[in-house]
Amino acid sequence: MRAAYGEVIKIQIEKCRLIHKSFIVNHKLTNIVLRMNTLLKKLFTLTTFSLALLPAQNAVHAQCKNSIDETIYKELPFNMPKVEQPSFPDYTVSILQFGAKSDGTTLNTKAINDAIKAVNAKGGGKVVIPEGLWLTGPIELLSNVNLHTEKNALVVFTDDFNAYPILETSFEGLNTRRCQSPISARNAENIAITGYGVFDGSGDSWRPVKKSKLTAGQWDALVKSGGVVDKSIWYPTAGSLKGALACKNFNNPEGIETDEEWNEIRPWLRPVLLNIVKSKRVLLEGVTFKNSPSWCLHPLSCEHITINQVKVFNPWYSQNGDALDLESCKNALIINNIFDAGDDAICIKSGKDEDGRKRGEPCQNVIVKNNTVLHGHGGFVVGSEMSGGVKNIYVTDCTFLGTDVGLRFKSTRGRGGVVEGIYIHNIHMIDIPHEALLFDLFYGGKAAGEETEEDLKGRMKTAVPQVTVETPSFRDIHISNIICKGSGRAMFFNGLPEMPIKNVTVKDVIINDAKEGVVISQAEGVTLENIRIETKGHTLDVKNAKNLKVDGKVYSAIGAEGKMLDF
């Protein structure tokens, strides 16, 4: 635009020069010079004014380059708006300007947060974390700020538990208290974390470790480092163990009343590395997050969120080391990422039990595309905290390399909520030790392989309750074009007697080297089409199913006696 203005001005000046020359020839120099002076002054003023405007016009858009390919919205199986991207004024500061020091010992909490506050107060822009090793406490993002990390920037969060205040929050779908997250934002708009750097959550200082997940040498070294051991689990402090013993419902302690009691179990209140709550137009792009104390990325109740070209690395032994838990969010893109998790990798949630139903915010309008999962309990997961509902989710073009389960749907009685409108297409997997596809409505909180068949059967023998708001429902789920080389059981549908899994379509699937075929129990309206399972014995074992369609043939009812079939 600046160049165009310049050409216009050059042309106008050239015209004036020719006019000037013509009038000189006609001996009207004095009058024309006066006129030319006036004209040139006007043109000069116009040029200066126009060029002055250009930086201001560019400033609004200088940091809002949209790297999202618009074709991602084509041929979606449901309607959703395009995910809005943040934009930032062309204003930049470095944390160095606020006293930050890259020496690995100086705590830069104040410098980084002061830089964020200054840019926010200025109306927005970019806060740059340069190359270097930066030790810090919690970082709080504010509206209209892009926290940008340059190449070779390493941000390490302090392992001092006292640097993280205990706050009211939500964890595992329940309202509770946890330590403040190393990176957080609440009620913010137009925020981003971008660039090339690494954020390390110092999670090894917080997490308990199971003896079964380490070699003998690793376990001996860990025990010698300090901490306490209880029932073959190492805890970093006695307070961490006390917090664990106070938990009856997953990882949220009960019976802790006073501030003193909460402070005593502070080491157990492991924060998620990144917690963004009730915020709009959020972008995470290019950066690496690793070694989180608990879950790694936890957007909660956000709208228009994009996670693009991000890498997450947690040790495979990390307790609750989920890579991404997208909870009660609306309009989201999860694209072009690499996840390596100690628990579930890409997980969709919406709150747990009564707390989740009261919140009443489904996770909806989500595109998950072009992601690679290196390890995790599940590659793509829905639940188990899905009490607010999940709908309009499209998962495509993803690769799972050795995840415990490939596609994992899990819930249990008491959750309530409806999971529907899930579309999964073109997934490639290898070396899946358990199910390539799993629906488990009797989920008991353990990872695949940690629970015996006897444990599962024991829970399933309980009396069948009436359908209430506490009954979870999974329906209208469509899965196609799946290739898996190497699995345990190929597929397992394990629905509730009072609420079977309904209207699930699975077609164009190849599962090679499976140890077992497909098992279906408590399902209704399942369609299996063009399925090829390579395994020993029968490929399809069905019990308690209605209106099952296999390659066009309908089985109206198969009872508890069961039926063995083959594709």
Side-chain angles (χ1 to χ4, degrees):
M1 187 174 180
R2 185 191 298 266
Y5 263 110
E7 289 300 319
V8 170
I9 299 306
K10 287 179 180 179
I11 291 170
Q12 294 297 328
I13 293 174
E14 179 63 16
K15 287 181 178 179
C16 292
R17 192 184 66 80
L18 293 173
I19 294 171
H20 185 192
K21 183 176 180 180
S22 175
F23 274 79
I24 290 174
V25 172
N26 289 302
H27 306 290
K28 296 180 179 178
L29 178 61
T30 303
N31 188 39
I32 296 310
V33 167
L34 290 174
R35 290 182 182 179
M36 283 297 299
N37 285 341
T38 302
L39 178 59
L40 287 171
K41 285 180 181 179
K42 288 182 178 180
L43 287 172
F44 179 78
T45 302
L46 176 62
T47 303
T48 303
F49 177 72
S50 300
L51 293 176
L53 281 178
L54 287 174
Q57 292 169 345
N58 288 341
V60 179
H61 304 287
Q63 295 184 36
C64 65
K65 295 178 181 178
N66 190 349
S67 61
I68 306 303
D69 184 353
E70 296 293 314
T71 61
I72 198 170
Y73 301 102
K74 289 185 178 180
E75 300 180 358
L76 281 179
F78 49 81
N79 293 322
M80 70 171 280
K82 291 182 179 180
V83 176
E84 298 174 7
Q85 300 300 310
S87 60
F88 306 93
D90 192 10
Y91 175 71
T92 299
V93 302
S94 168
I95 60 172
L96 294 172
Q97 298 170 239
F98 295 82
K101 294 182 179 180
S102 172
D103 55 17
T105 57
T106 300
L107 199 63
N108 293 292
T109 314
K110 185 177 186 302
I112 295 174
N113 284 293
D114 282 352
I116 291 171
K117 291 174 184 176
V119 172
N120 168 262
K122 192 79 173 180
K126 181 189 294 184
V127 172
V128 173
I129 299 180
E131 174 184 1
L133 195 163
W134 311 93
L135 182 67
T136 183
I139 296 172
E140 297 181 39
L141 287 176
L142 300 175
S143 294
N144 302 315
V145 174
N146 175 10
L147 185 63
H148 183 83
T149 56
E150 293 184 340
K151 291 181 179 179
N152 204 26
L154 172 58
V155 179
V156 178
F157 291 95
T158 178
D159 58 6
D160 178 5
F161 301 140
N162 292 317
Y164 304 89
I166 298 173
L167 306 174
E168 297 284 344
T169 186
S170 176
F171 181 65
E172 291 185 337
L174 296 176
N175 298 326
T176 184
R177 294 189 189 186
R178 307 292 289 186
C179 287
Q180 181 177 351
S181 290
I183 306 172
S184 65
R186 181 176 289 270
N187 297 316
E189 293 191 18
N190 205 52
I191 58 175
I193 301 176
T194 63
Y196 311 93
V198 177
F199 293 90
D200 188 311
S202 296
D204 284 321
S205 300
W206 293 82
R207 290 189 302 266
V209 180
K210 294 180 179 179
K211 183 178 181 179
S212 60
K213 293 190 175 184
L214 299 181
T215 65
Q218 290 171 332
W219 176 257
D220 289 343
L222 182 63
V223 172
K224 289 178 182 178
S225 70
V228 295
V229 176
D230 181 71
K231 297 179 181 179
S232 297
I233 300 177
W234 176 88
Y235 296 87
T237 69
S240 178
L241 173 58
K242 183 176 180 179
L245 295 175
C247 295
K248 298 177 181 179
N249 193 357
F250 290 76
N251 292 288
N252 287 316
E254 299 178 20
I256 307 298
E257 303 295 340
T258 67
D259 289 343
E260 289 76 15
E261 289 174 322
W262 281 103
N263 188 60
E264 187 177 356
I265 66 167
R266 181 191 296 264
W268 175 253
L269 305 177
R270 297 173 289 139
V272 300
L273 176 55
L274 179 143
N275 185 218
I276 298 179
V277 182
K278 294 187 179 299
S279 298
K280 298 179 180 180
R281 296 194 306 284
V282 179
L283 173 65
L284 307 178
E285 188 170 62
V287 293
T288 298
F289 300 94
K290 68 179 293 287
N291 196 19
S292 59
S294 184
W295 297 350
C296 196
L297 307 180
H298 183 209
L300 171 62
S301 300
C302 293
E303 294 185 31
H304 295 286
I305 176 167
T306 299
I307 302 176
N308 182 29
Q309 298 178 347
V310 162
K311 292 181 283 292
V312 172
F313 298 109
N314 270 341
W316 77 274
Y317 58 81
S318 56
Q319 289 293 109
N320 316 111
D322 298 28
L324 168 65
D325 291 281
L326 190 74
E327 183 171 355
S328 294
C329 290
K330 183 178 181 181
N331 305 328
L333 298 177
I334 313 300
I335 54 177
N336 310 315
N337 305 293
I338 296 175
F339 299 115
D340 191 358
D343 205 306
D344 289 328
I346 305 169
C347 196
I348 307 296
K349 299 179 181 289
S350 63
K352 181 177 178 181
D353 299 346
E354 185 177 3
D355 284 355
R357 295 193 297 272
K358 281 183 177 179
R359 184 198 299 159
E361 297 177 8
C363 200
Q364 60 184 324
N365 298 345
V366 180
I367 298 174
V368 180
K369 184 171 183 174
N370 291 335
N371 300 288
T372 299
V373 179
L374 303 181
H375 183 271
H377 289 180
F380 171 78
V381 183
V382 175
S384 72
E385 304 95 311
M386 37 60 68
S387 303
V390 175
K391 61 183 180 181
N392 291 355
I393 311 293
Y394 183 52
V395 183
T396 187
D397 302 339
C398 292
T399 301
F400 305 150
L401 307 173
T403 58
D404 293 350
V405 175
L407 303 167
R408 188 183 192 193
F409 297 82
K410 56 181 180 176
S411 188
T412 193
R413 289 172 176 145
R415 293 285 192 269
V418 177
V419 173
E420 60 185 343
I422 313 297
Y423 302 84
I424 300 174
H425 178 73
N426 201 35
I427 308 297
H428 297 159
M429 319 179 207
I430 61 170
D431 302 329
I432 307 299
H434 301 285
E435 291 84 3
L437 170 61
L438 173 63
F439 291 88
D440 184 8
L441 276 296
F442 284 92
Y443 176 66
K446 294 183 178 180
E450 290 185 347
E451 181 178 58
T452 65
E453 288 290 333
E454 288 71 25
D455 291 337
L456 176 59
K457 290 177 180 177
R459 289 202 312 278
M460 293 172 65
K461 287 180 179 178
T462 58
V464 178
Q466 296 293 315
V467 174
T468 68
V469 294
E470 295 184 352
T471 307
S473 175
F474 284 66
R475 66 195 186 200
D476 299 331
I477 298 170
H478 309 282
I479 301 168
S480 61
N481 197 25
I482 309 297
I483 300 176
C484 176
K485 180 173 176 54
S487 76
R489 184 163 40 193
M491 305 181 200
F492 186 25
F493 291 64
N494 192 28
L496 297 172
E498 69 274 21
M499 183 62 72
I501 301 162
K502 295 183 178 180
N503 302 331
V504 175
T505 300
V506 183
K507 66 179 184 178
D508 301 329
V509 173
I510 299 172
I511 301 178
N512 299 317
D513 302 325
K515 294 180 180 178
E516 190 178 344
V518 177
V519 177
I520 295 178
S521 175
Q522 302 296 350
E524 182 177 332
V526 171
T527 297
L528 303 175
E529 180 181 331
N530 192 28
I531 310 295
R532 192 178 83 196
I533 309 292
E534 290 186 1
T535 188
K536 295 179 180 179
H538 293 285
T539 54
L540 179 58
D541 180 2
V542 183
K543 293 180 180 178
N544 300 308
K546 296 179 179 179
N547 298 321
L548 171 68
K549 182 186 288 188
V550 181
D551 289 327
K553 185 175 181 179
V554 177
Y555 299 85
S556 59
I558 299 175
E561 72 282 358
K563 192 175 184 69
M564 304 296 291
L565 302 169
D566 287 297
F567 295 106

